[in-house]
Amino acid sequence: MNIFRAYISGFKSTGRTWAMPTFIYVVNLILGILFAIPFLGTLKQKAGFTMSIQDVLSGYDHTVFQELFNEATVYIGQFIRQGLWIAVLFFIISIFLTGGILHIFSDKSYPFTFERFFSGSLKFFLRFLKLSMYMLVIYLLLTALIFLIVFLISAGVFSGTGSEKTFFFIVFPGFCFWLLVIIFFLIIADYARFSIVRNDSRNVFITIFRSLKFVSRKFPFTYGLYLMLLVAPVALIYSYTLLSNVIGMTSGITILVMFLIQQLFIWAKVFTRVWTFASQFDYFLGRAF
Amino acid sequence: MMTKPIARFVSVIAALLIANQTIIAQPKSERIVHYTMKVALDTKEKIVDGKMDLVWKNPSNDTINELQFHMYLNAFKNTESTFMKESGGQLRGVSFRASDPLIWGWVDVVEMQTASGIDLTQNMRYIQPDDDNEEDQSVISVALEEPVMPGQSIKLKINFKSKLPRVFARSGYMDDFFLVAQWFPKIGVYEPEGVRYAEEGQWNCHQFHANSEFYADFGVYEVEITLPKEFVVGATGELKSQHDNTDETKTLTYIAEDVVDFAWTASPDYRVVEDQWKDVKIMVFLQPDHLPQAGRHTESVKAALDYFEKHLGKYPYSTISIVDPPLKGMGASGMEYPTFITAGCIWGIPDWMRFTEMVTIHEFGHNYFMGILASNEFEEAWIDEGFNSYFEMRIMDETYGERYSFMGHEKFHYGDWEYQRLGYTQSGNPKIAEPFRNSWEFKHGGYGTMSYNKTAIWMATLERIVGRLTMDEIMKTFYDRWKFKHPCGQDFIDVVNEVVTKNHGTKFGGDMNWFFDQVLYGSEVCDYKLARISNSKTRPPEGIHEEGGNKRTYKNIEYESTIYTSSVRIHRIGEVIMPVEVLIHFEDGEEILERWNGKERSYEFSYEKPVKVLWAKIDPENKILLDVNLMNNSLTAKPKRAALWKMTLKFLFWLQNTMQFFSIFS
């Protein structure tokens, strides 16, 4: 199967099993709401009856934000910290759910059912968890290595007569290179998961290496497919930015409209994530190792 | 080609022709000092070799038996100087690395003689008028063999050598970049009795501290600088002549009159952009990568020139030079010298981030506050920094928009007065000190917050209380009365009392001392809080009452319509007392503006009306910018929740996106 066909078939598969991305979106929303409600409560308590907060409606007001944060620093800081922990929790949950997603896509002759979905989630969770932990270490090591090189080059330039323009043209390409390398290893991680599901591989470490070989051998196609799949989320972000600039959140109606658009945006991002799995998995199945 | 002897002859003739030429026909100041210098910069050793003639006039009725000089560069001689001990070896976020020997700086008087040939070299000794640090060598005292009588002058011939430090605190070098400031033995200020706070004549010559800046008399500077010819030079004053020498050097001669200092810069990398504002020549010395940002410097300095002319006085000099230090030399950025300032910009910074404009306007403003109104920056940093920050606020907000002047992006913006106010109110401890304090006595912090931010904000508060017209008259009177002199804080307060009383009578009391006692001499904060709004139906009277000597029960009384007893309560949380306005808004749209003297801890306004109070706001026109908490200045009985929902839904959206981002790695 070529990458263009995989791109389309992945979209179709995801569309047919729309309940899956919707379910993931609902989990995302529930976790978010669990924190948003006490956040609203704190805001009401700290600033609910002051007129100053109304200035926030018409747009950004730096003084109001600074004073509100100063007034409620302890609480808002707590929410942000807890929010980050929630993101970590969602990361674990995502690992769990990925097993279900790939289990469904591994055999499309069976219809989507939550029973099948969760059985896949359970079956592959521990291996996927191990895989994700190994990959996290790899990402960190890569980041450290690349930015160490960037830092050493920058330091060498700085000991001379380098200007900030020079630094930018060292750091920015370094950052771009880092991004491209990280994407490469994200693809390796995805194909390792496909291998675990399709071949029921037990040895995660060896699966990563085999995936590395596969992705490298098919580099233009695996990387090209991933870049194609990135177009949709990038377009989503751009569209959202345009819409939010046009509509704003300056009244009850526009706040409600933007809330709905925001949730649609989140759902669509989850959809594209599942679509990414579906398309790559289809390509993998067509070129299985 | 000119031979060496001929070239030397020509340069001597040129020097003779230039010497004692003046630019400004009528002196603007008393011209206590006259420096004539010939200096050469060794760009490899980072040393300035100098010969200077100094004429100093005794401005007092006292007989002067000693002279005192600032030796500022000795602050960078070693870790034992007062400056280095107080700063911990760092200033403005830049650190000194002690391991490199070339980084240290110093200044030596090699020889000092009077014009009549009396050698004073052995009469010099280091003194420490501020602390007991005998290692500090930033001030010398020179005992005179013959006193200087009142009104008379002494002429000195001084040979000196200045080793420039690697720049981290305003002055020094970085590779081939030189910012040469506070670089020569500079005579201190002798304050006669009655000048500033002097109860008797005294030398006012402080050591160089980490938090202090400078103080000097007005005078004339004629400076001849010789350095390698590939260096581009900028300096205080006007360039009178320039010629190449046969040894691959060049010599430039500058003259500056009625100034308190002389600084200069040199670098082979500068790109110079020139512009003109009326009769003032603007020169911007830019790093090559920053050339596209020349307009940000010229346009902002022109806005400042316009504004100061309109509100204070015309800029009295013919030049203004703006220096853009390189990245590694940023320790020299953001500093002021007469007709010569250092700004600073960063390549690629977008137009809506106006650091460059703010610094340019601020440093230019110092030509007025500290350059023309030559206050003592050691003892009263709040005058030059605070007054200048106040004008910076006005100029930035008027030029670029009140809520957009500092950061001007639609999604993220704030103005200069917000920046100044939050710099004070959101500092770790706004009560840490009072602004009226010697600069080196801010031992645990607060120098910047008190001198810059708080002073600017109380100036703005004063303006909003007495009105812009009165404030402008105050500043103009202060400027006209004290320009080219050494004003002190009391001089300013006297002007305020005079003008406010003239314009407003006793509206604010007999004088404004109550204001300064709190904001300048005190460290307490101002915080008024709208504590409570209550509305309750007025009940008819009940119970027993006397009627014709008999006890009667009140009959059932019904009012024709519902009457509400409403009250609006205000608390004074802070210690500072300010006259306060409170706007009360009723349900039917009626508004009442109440005034309260702000003195009691709690005060209440009460009403009986057929409508309820809907909301109330303390200081609706934001006059009291000193109030450290504007959030508690208002209350509403019927809050609109839309804003809270907006913030909550944005938080939710952020959280969901963060979760989704993390899931990419799953």
Side-chain angles (χ1 to χ4, degrees):
Chain A
M1 180 184 284
N2 70 39
I3 60 173
F4 299 102
R5 261 208 218 145
Y7 184 83
I8 306 285
S9 75
F11 178 80
K12 284 180 181 171
S13 306
T14 310
R16 273 196 300 271
T17 57
W18 60 269
M20 240 185 344
T22 305
F23 173 71
I24 297 167
Y25 158 75
V26 167
V27 171
N28 176 298
L29 177 63
I30 288 171
L31 283 174
I33 286 175
L34 280 177
F35 274 84
I37 290 175
F39 182 83
L40 176 63
T42 301
L43 277 184
K44 272 187 192 170
Q45 190 202 8
K46 287 291 161 193
F49 287 87
T50 174
M51 304 278 290
S52 310
I53 206 77
Q54 305 305 316
D55 294 338
V56 167
L57 258 187
S58 51
Y60 180 76
D61 189 312
H62 190 70
T63 295
V64 169
F65 273 110
Q66 283 290 306
E67 292 215 344
L68 179 61
F69 278 109
N70 199 47
E71 181 84 353
T73 295
V74 168
Y75 304 99
I76 291 177
Q78 227 167 38
F79 279 114
I80 292 173
R81 273 192 299 278
Q82 287 167 358
L84 291 169
W85 280 112
I86 280 293
V88 170
L89 175 63
F90 189 75
F91 169 72
I92 308 286
I93 294 172
S94 298
I95 294 173
F96 177 76
L97 297 175
T98 302
I101 294 170
L102 297 182
H103 187 58
I104 296 294
F105 287 142
S106 65
D107 193 341
K108 294 177 195 171
S109 59
Y110 292 100
F112 169 80
T113 62
F114 277 104
E115 195 187 335
R116 253 192 93 219
F117 177 78
F118 283 116
S119 78
S121 297
L122 277 167
K123 183 177 177 185
F124 299 111
F125 175 62
L126 284 176
R127 280 178 273 176
F128 278 11
L129 183 64
K130 220 189 255 184
L131 169 67
S132 295
M133 293 302 113
Y134 287 151
M135 293 310 297
L136 269 180
V137 171
I138 291 172
Y139 299 141
L140 287 169
L141 285 172
L142 280 170
T143 303
L145 179 65
I146 292 170
F147 283 104
L148 178 64
I149 294 168
V150 169
F151 172 75
L152 287 171
I153 297 172
S154 302
V157 168
F158 193 73
S159 66
T161 54
S163 67
E164 61 275 22
K165 184 177 176 181
T166 318
F167 286 126
F168 177 81
F169 285 110
I170 294 169
V171 172
F172 184 68
F175 173 79
C176 293
F177 177 70
W178 168 83
L179 198 59
L180 294 172
V181 167
I182 290 294
I183 288 174
F184 179 69
F185 280 87
L186 283 172
I187 298 169
I188 289 169
D190 282 348
Y191 281 89
R193 289 186 192 98
F194 305 151
S195 174
I196 288 170
V197 169
R198 188 184 181 280
N199 304 322
D200 202 17
S201 313
R202 296 279 159 181
N203 191 318
V204 171
F205 211 62
I206 290 179
T207 309
I208 292 174
F209 272 109
R210 291 177 73 195
S211 171
L212 168 64
K213 275 168 59 177
F214 176 82
V215 171
S216 305
R217 258 201 336 262
K218 308 280 180 200
F219 179 78
F221 306 105
T222 53
Y223 209 94
L225 176 60
Y226 199 89
L227 291 181
M228 281 167 59
L229 288 162
L230 277 180
V231 169
V234 168
L236 273 175
I237 293 169
Y238 181 71
S239 307
Y240 173 79
T241 308
L242 280 179
L243 277 172
S244 93
N245 284 341
V246 166
I247 298 171
M249 290 174 97
T250 54
S251 66
I253 293 288
T254 51
I255 290 170
L256 179 62
V257 168
M258 279 309 301
F259 168 69
L260 294 171
I261 290 173
Q262 283 167 352
Q263 295 311 307
L264 187 62
F265 173 79
I266 296 292
W267 180 87
K269 276 183 76 180
V270 175
F271 184 95
T272 59
R273 180 77 184 122
V274 177
W275 176 11
T276 302
F277 279 136
S279 292
Q280 290 187 107
F281 203 2
D282 282 350
Y283 178 77
F284 170 79
L285 289 173
R287 296 267 188 274
F289 65 89
Chain B
M1 191 180 87
M2 229 187 267
T3 61
K4 254 191 184 169
I6 295 173
R8 209 173 289 149
F9 175 72
V10 168
S11 69
V12 166
I13 297 296
L16 285 171
L17 286 171
I18 286 156
N20 298 319
Q21 270 192 3
T22 55
I23 311 165
I24 302 167
Q26 186 63 32
K28 295 183 187 308
S29 67
E30 208 182 328
R31 298 191 181 185
I32 301 294
V33 297
H34 190 132
Y35 291 91
T36 309
M37 298 194 218
K38 281 188 175 47
V39 304
L41 172 63
D42 183 334
T43 55
K44 286 194 175 38
E45 298 301 319
K46 321 298 181 191
I47 286 180
V48 177
D49 227 309
K51 287 179 176 27
M52 133 171 126
D53 287 349
L54 166 62
V55 177
W56 178 79
K57 189 171 91 177
N58 180 354
S60 70
N61 294 327
D62 306 320
T63 301
I64 304 296
N65 293 296
E66 69 153 339
L67 303 177
Q68 291 186 6
F69 288 80
H70 291 285
M71 307 283 277
Y72 288 115
L73 282 182
N74 282 339
F76 309 111
K77 197 168 182 178
N78 52 49
T79 54
E80 304 311 299
S81 70
T82 292
F83 184 101
M84 293 297 268
K85 282 187 168 174
E86 289 177 356
S87 69
Q90 71 89 31
L91 195 77
R92 297 154 159 232
V94 183
S95 294
F96 236 28
R97 267 185 316 123
S99 53
D100 183 351
L102 204 58
I103 65 169
W104 304 103
W106 43 261
V107 56
D108 275 345
V109 171
V110 177
E111 192 182 8
M112 183 185 293
Q113 278 189 1
T114 64
S116 56
I118 299 172
D119 189 351
L120 298 176
T121 315
Q122 301 310 315
N123 293 13
M124 297 188 307
R125 61 185 178 92
Y126 292 108
I127 60 172
Q128 296 83 29
D130 302 330
D131 61 19
D132 296 327
N133 181 9
E134 290 177 2
E135 303 297 322
D136 186 72
Q137 296 180 342
S138 59
V139 178
I140 56 170
S141 165
V142 183
L144 297 174
E145 300 290 334
E146 291 165 3
V148 185
M149 303 309 291
Q152 294 201 339
S153 297
I154 181 172
K155 184 172 179 179
L156 299 170
K157 290 183 173 308
I158 302 174
N159 291 351
F160 67 94
K161 200 176 271 241
S162 301
K163 164 66 178 65
L164 299 172
R166 197 167 68 198
V167 67
F168 91 109
R170 306 179 186 90
S171 182
Y173 74 91
M174 179 58 74
D175 300 323
D176 272 346
F177 162 76
F178 293 87
L179 200 301
V180 187
Q182 313 306 339
W183 54 287
F184 55 95
K186 189 193 278 187
I187 195 160
V189 175
Y190 188 84
E191 291 180 336
E193 178 194 343
V195 168
R196 298 185 66 252
Y197 303 107
E199 292 176 358
E200 56 183 18
Q202 61 185 17
W203 280 103
N204 192 306
C205 191
H206 291 290
Q207 293 161 250
F208 194 12
H209 297 269
N211 277 335
S212 70
E213 291 198 336
F214 314 104
Y215 182 41
D217 275 318
F218 288 93
V220 176
Y221 287 78
E222 295 177 68
V223 181
E224 190 184 288
I225 303 168
T226 299
L227 75 175
K229 65 180 182 187
E230 66 270 21
F231 278 75
V232 175
V233 178
T236 297
E238 263 194 40
L239 176 66
K240 293 310 287 183
S241 74
Q242 175 175 333
H243 64 267
D244 287 349
N245 303 316
T246 54
D247 58 355
E248 296 300 304
T249 64
K250 65 182 179 186
T251 300
L252 305 96
T253 304
Y254 288 87
I255 292 184
E257 295 170 286
D258 301 306
V259 294
V260 295
D261 197 1
F262 186 95
W264 53 285
T265 184
S267 167
D269 298 326
Y270 283 136
R271 302 287 184 268
V272 185
V273 169
E274 292 187 6
D275 204 336
Q276 195 78 21
W277 177 86
K278 297 186 180 178
D279 55 351
V280 178
K281 184 176 178 184
I282 302 169
M283 290 167 285
V284 190
F285 295 81
L286 288 155
Q287 298 304 309
D289 288 339
H290 299 163
L291 206 48
Q293 299 196 51
R296 300 180 72 158
H297 296 81
T298 54
E299 294 313 306
S300 55
V301 84
K302 282 179 184 175
L305 281 157
D306 274 332
Y307 198 91
F308 277 110
E309 181 175 271
K310 193 168 153 193
H311 292 280
L312 215 56
K314 189 178 181 312
Y315 181 68
Y317 305 109
S318 59
T319 63
I320 179 70
S321 296
I322 306 170
V323 176
D324 166 38
L327 182 65
K328 283 162 68 178
M330 285 301 251
S333 64
M335 190 53 201
E336 73 275 6
Y337 311 92
T339 77
F340 178 89
I341 63 173
T342 63
C345 64
I346 299 170
W347 175 84
I349 195 167
D351 286 346
W352 57 267
M353 293 175 88
R354 297 195 183 95
F355 298 110
T356 298
E357 286 83 348
M358 186 199 79
V359 170
T360 302
I361 287 170
H362 182 93
E363 301 310 331
F364 173 77
H366 273 304
N367 274 278
Y368 287 83
F369 299 105
M370 140 298 143
I372 296 167
L373 293 160
S375 54
N376 186 327
E377 296 183 283
F378 288 91
E379 296 175 0
E380 295 183 301
W382 61 273
I383 295 181
D384 74 294
E385 296 300 355
F387 286 20
N388 193 35
S389 298
Y390 165 68
F391 268 91
E392 169 211 306
M393 241 164 58
R394 285 175 56 162
I395 298 169
M396 285 288 288
D397 287 353
E398 189 168 298
T399 308
Y400 302 110
E402 200 182 295
R403 293 277 183 151
Y404 291 81
S405 61
F406 191 32
M407 290 286 166
H409 194 278
E410 197 51 48
K411 299 282 184 196
F412 177 70
H413 58 87
Y414 56 98
D416 205 301
W417 77 255
E418 288 185 277
Y419 164 73
Q420 295 290 352
R421 182 182 164 271
L422 289 169
Y424 162 58
T425 61
Q426 309 265 295
S427 64
N429 180 5
K431 292 188 189 183
I432 194 164
E434 61 292 333
F436 188 85
R437 189 182 273 215
N438 291 325
S439 57
W440 64 91
E441 288 175 344
F442 289 92
K443 292 200 186 302
H444 302 127
Y447 165 76
T449 307
M450 293 299 131
S451 305
Y452 291 71
N453 306 118
K454 184 175 180 182
T455 301
I457 288 306
W458 69 244
M459 293 275 285
T461 301
L462 178 64
E463 174 203 306
R464 291 172 190 216
I465 289 175
V466 304
R468 173 62 78 92
L469 287 176
T470 298
M471 191 66 185
D472 277 356
E473 190 181 338
I474 289 169
M475 296 312 299
K476 187 95 178 65
T477 306
F478 181 61
Y479 178 77
D480 288 339
R481 194 171 292 175
W482 288 100
K483 61 188 177 190
F484 298 105
K485 295 188 181 123
H486 296 305
C488 65
Q490 190 57 51
D491 297 324
F492 175 71
I493 294 171
D494 291 343
V495 169
V496 171
N497 285 338
E498 178 189 320
V499 174
V500 169
T501 307
K502 176 174 84 68
N503 289 0
H504 296 286
T506 54
K507 180 179 175 186
F508 301 108
D511 54 44
M512 295 296 287
N513 292 344
W514 59 269
F515 181 83
F516 293 104
D517 285 343
Q518 298 180 98
V519 305
L520 176 60
Y521 299 111
S523 61
E524 293 292 346
V525 298
C526 178
D527 185 8
Y528 287 95
K529 177 181 176 179
L530 208 303
R532 195 180 85 136
I533 294 175
S534 75
N535 295 292
S536 55
K537 274 190 196 165
T538 307
R539 294 162 64 90
E542 293 175 356
I544 314 290
H545 69 108
E546 299 288 338
E547 192 179 312
N550 297 318
K551 288 190 177 9
R552 301 253 186 260
T553 309
Y554 278 106
K555 291 182 186 156
N556 279 342
I557 300 171
E558 297 275 337
Y559 290 129
E560 282 180 16
S561 58
T562 308
I563 302 287
Y564 293 97
T565 302
S566 304
S567 67
V568 174
R569 187 177 297 166
I570 302 157
H571 287 167
R572 177 169 64 83
I573 311 282
E575 301 305 315
V576 168
I577 296 170
M578 288 284 154
V580 166
E581 291 174 344
V582 184
L583 184 65
I584 321 272
H585 181 100
F586 294 87
E587 275 178 331
D588 63 353
E590 183 193 355
E591 289 186 345
I592 298 175
L593 184 67
E594 300 280 11
R595 288 182 171 85
W596 172 43
N597 62 19
K599 284 186 180 162
E600 293 91 339
R601 282 291 181 189
S602 176
Y603 194 85
E604 201 165 86
F605 298 102
S606 302
Y607 310 92
E608 280 199 3
K609 284 179 178 287
V611 287
K612 296 179 191 173
V613 170
L614 185 54
W615 55 259
K617 195 169 182 189
I618 295 171
D619 191 28
E621 291 175 24
N622 280 336
K623 290 182 180 179
I624 309 175
L625 293 179
L626 278 168
D627 193 318
V628 294
N629 186 352
L630 298 180
M631 291 280 292
N632 66 6
N633 278 18
S634 60
L635 273 185
T636 174
K638 288 187 183 167
K640 290 181 188 168
R641 301 295 187 200
L644 297 181
W645 276 104
K646 175 178 177 176
M647 292 175 70
T648 303
L649 293 176
K650 282 192 173 236
F651 172 74
L652 173 63
F653 188 51
W654 168 81
L655 190 53
Q656 289 179 287
N657 275 297
T658 306
M659 285 193 276
Q660 202 48 37
F661 174 75
F662 273 59
S663 74
I664 293 172
F665 301 97
S666 60

